Amino acid sequence: MPSHVHKVFLQSIHVEEPDATLTPGGGSAPIQSSSGKAYIGKIGSSSEQEQYIGEAESLKAIHRVAPGLAPRLIACGVIDNDTAESDRDVGRPYFLSEYIDMSTQTDAAAKVLAKRLATEMHTYKSTTGFGFHVPTFCGRTRQENGWFDTWEECYDTLIGGLLSSLRNTGGYDALCSDGEDIRRRVIPALLRPLVIQPVLLHGDLWSGNTGTDRRTGEPVIFDPSSYFGHNEADLAIARIFGGIPKSFFTTYHQYLPKSDPVAQYELRCELYELYHYLNHTVLFGGSYASSAKRKMQALLTAFPEPSEN
C-alpha cells in the first residue's frame, strides 16, 4: 500500500471534502476519507489517455441519466507540472471515482438493473445520432466511434474495425472474408428495417462488469465502453458469458419490448453477439475465432446470396 495519497487525488478529493483526512489505498483498495466516504484512483501510462477519457465520459453519461447505477466520476485528466510528484508523472492520465463496496450480482439486483436499463439508460436518446463523441474501449479494443445517421452504418463501422484488426494480425483471412459477407448481406437485411432511436448503452455489459452494492442491495454497473446505439445490442455479451440470470432478460422486456420486426429478434441477437466474439478473437484468439466463424455461418445461411435469375 502506498505511504500517501497522490497529490492529484488529494486536490480532487479536497474539492469534494475540504476538511477530510485521507488514508491511502493501493491496487483495488480504496482511498478512505475520515468522513466515511471512499474513492478509487488510478494513474495510467501516457499511452492510455484515450482509455481513461473514454471510461470517464461513459460514466458521466450514465450518471446523467441513471444516477447511482454506476460509480460517480470525481475527476479525470492528465497530470501536469502542478499536480506531478515527479517528472515522470507529467503526461500520465489519472482517474478518480467514488468507491462502491460490491458483491456479485443477486437475482433481485438483476431485476432492478433490468428495469433501470429499460426505463432510464435505454430511453435516453442522443440528439446527435448513433455513436459517441470520444473513442471508447471494449476491453483493450479501441472503438473509434464518431457520429452516424443510421444504426446500420454505425454497427457496420464497429464490425469493420474488428475485421481490420484481424487482417492486421494475420491468419484470419477466411474469417475476414465471411465478415465482409456479413457486412454486405446480413447487416443491411437486419438493421435497415429497424425504426429505432440511438439510446445510451453500457457497451460491455457482462456479469463481470455488474455487481450489487453491499450497503444498499442496489445494482451497480462499471467499466463501460458507452455509445449510442440500438438497445438490444447492450444485451448481447450478457447472453454469451452467462452469470446474469434469465430473470434479467424477462424483466427487461417487460419494460422495453423487443423491437419490430420481432420475428428477427433472435437473428439480431446473433448479429450483436458476433461483435463480442470477434472482439475476443482480436484480444485472445484461440477458440473465439471458431465461435465467431460458427456465428457467421448461421447468419449467412439465414441470408443467402441472392440468385442472379
Side-chain angles (χ1 to χ4, degrees), residues 275-304:
Y275 177 84
H276 296 285
Y277 280 117
L278 286 174
N279 186 38
H280 276 66
T281 304
V282 170
L283 295 174
F284 309 114
S287 62
Y288 290 111
S290 298
S291 298
K293 180 79 170 178
R294 286 193 297 272
K295 191 72 65 177
M296 286 182 178
Q297 289 299 320
L299 286 164
L300 292 171
T301 298
F303 296 94

Side-chain angles (χ1 to χ4, degrees), residues 43-52 88-89 91-94:
I43 296 174
S45 64
S46 58
S47 64
E48 294 177 313
Q49 288 186 21
E50 281 192 321
Q51 288 98 314
Y52 277 56
R88 63 184 179 183
D89 279 351
R92 298 174 68 187
Y94 67 92

Side-chain angles (χ1 to χ4, degrees), residues 89-280:
D89 279 351
V90 177
R92 298 174 68 187
Y94 67 92
F95 175 98
L96 180 72
S97 72
E98 67 174 332
Y99 171 77
I100 300 175
D101 185 21
M102 286 181 284
S103 62
T104 56
Q105 191 177 76
T106 65
D107 188 67
K111 292 177 181 178
V112 176
L113 173 59
K115 180 180 179 181
R116 295 202 69 184
L117 285 175
T119 61
E120 295 175 63
M121 276 183 60
H122 291 174
T123 59
Y124 179 68
K125 300 170 185 176
S126 164
T127 59
T128 310
F130 295 89
F132 207 58
H133 61 288
V134 297
T136 50
F137 287 74
C138 193
R140 298 188 308 276
T141 298
R142 184 180 189 271
Q143 297 176 152
E144 189 169 342
N145 293 322
W147 295 107
F148 304 89
D149 292 333
T150 68
W151 172 232
E152 177 187 348
E153 184 184 7
C154 180
Y155 193 73
D156 177 73
T157 300
L158 289 171
I159 292 292
L162 295 177
L163 295 176
S164 179
S165 295
L166 290 171
R167 279 191 291 269
N168 291 337
T169 299
Y172 293 105
D173 290 350
L175 189 65
C176 289
S177 178
D178 284 347
E180 293 303 330
D181 285 340
I182 292 289
R183 297 179 72 187
R184 182 171 55 87
R185 286 158 45 186
V186 179
I187 289 177
L190 280 177
L191 304 189
R192 193 171 296 171
L194 293 171
V195 180
I196 58 171
Q197 297 294 322
V199 297
L200 182 63
L201 310 184
H202 175 282
D204 193 14
L205 193 67
W206 68 293
S207 59
N209 287 341
T210 70
T212 302
D213 187 324
R214 292 183 192 273
R215 182 177 61 86
T216 65
E218 293 294 309
V220 183
I221 57 177
F222 50 95
D223 286 349
S225 55
S226 291
Y227 63 98
F228 288 89
H230 184 199
N231 65 289
E232 291 175 0
D234 223 8
L235 311 182
I237 196 171
R239 287 187 295 267
I240 294 173
F241 294 114
I244 293 181
K246 290 182 179 180
S247 59
F248 166 85
F249 299 96
T250 303
T251 303
Y252 179 88
H253 285 304
Q254 288 174 352
Y255 290 96
L256 194 56
K258 298 170 184 176
S259 299
D260 288 322
V262 175
Q264 292 185 335
Y265 174 80
E266 294 299 333
L267 287 169
R268 292 194 300 270
C269 290
E270 297 280 310
L271 179 60
Y272 296 152
E273 288 173 16
L274 176 62
Y275 177 84
H276 296 285
Y277 280 117
L278 286 174
N279 186 38
H280 276 66

